[in-house]
Amino acid sequence: MEVDICNLLQFNLHITTPLHFAKIYLRASYVSGGVAGRMACSMPQDDVMAMLVEYFLELALLDYRMVSEEPSNIAAAAVYLARATLDVKDISNPEDIEKENYFSK
């Protein structure tokens, strides 16, 4: 009955998954690591780091202990692990971050 009411009112309800947070964290990670365009894969919009993050998120799905963790924490851990695996260092100069023009994308 509740589902019918939500459908009648055209509510679009969904569950936020770690992948939603991972996309946000990846975008910030590209800016702080200066990776944009440097590690591109041959596929059009995918890159090595994004694929590695998705792989780590899929591994987290298999572990029942991750059910109690917040999706944002799982995504942050996956991005951190991907950065550590690919040895991506942070940009130390704040002006370089402004050059990437993060907020206008």
Side-chain angles (χ1 to χ4, degrees):
M1 170 119 178
E2 291 86 3
V3 174
D4 294 333
I5 293 172
C6 288
N7 288 336
L8 182 65
L9 295 174
Q10 297 177 346
F11 285 162
N12 186 9
L13 304 177
H14 65 280
I15 298 172
T16 305
T17 64
L19 187 59
H20 171 77
F21 289 104
K23 290 178 183 177
I24 296 168
Y25 296 158
L26 271 173
R27 189 168 168 196
S29 175
Y30 292 150
V31 172
S32 70
V35 209
R38 187 173 51 129
M39 298 179 63
C41 188
S42 61
M43 295 190 301
Q45 294 180 340
D46 292 34
D47 65 339
V48 176
M49 188 179 295
M51 291 172 52
L52 195 57
V53 167
E54 288 180 15
Y55 173 72
F56 290 139
L57 290 177
E58 288 177 12
L59 286 178
L61 285 174
L62 299 175
D63 191 357
Y64 184 72
R65 293 173 292 182
M66 291 295 178
V67 171
S68 62
E69 297 296 326
E70 293 289 327
S72 58
N73 291 342
I74 296 171
V79 172
Y80 175 80
L81 189 55
R83 287 176 58 101
T85 302
L86 296 173
D87 197 33
V88 176
K89 306 291 184 203
D90 285 338
I91 295 176
S92 59
N93 191 357
E95 287 80 27
D96 291 340
I97 293 176
E98 291 175 7
K99 288 178 188 174
E100 290 288 338
N101 207 3
Y102 171 67
F103 293 104
S104 68
K105 291 182 182 176

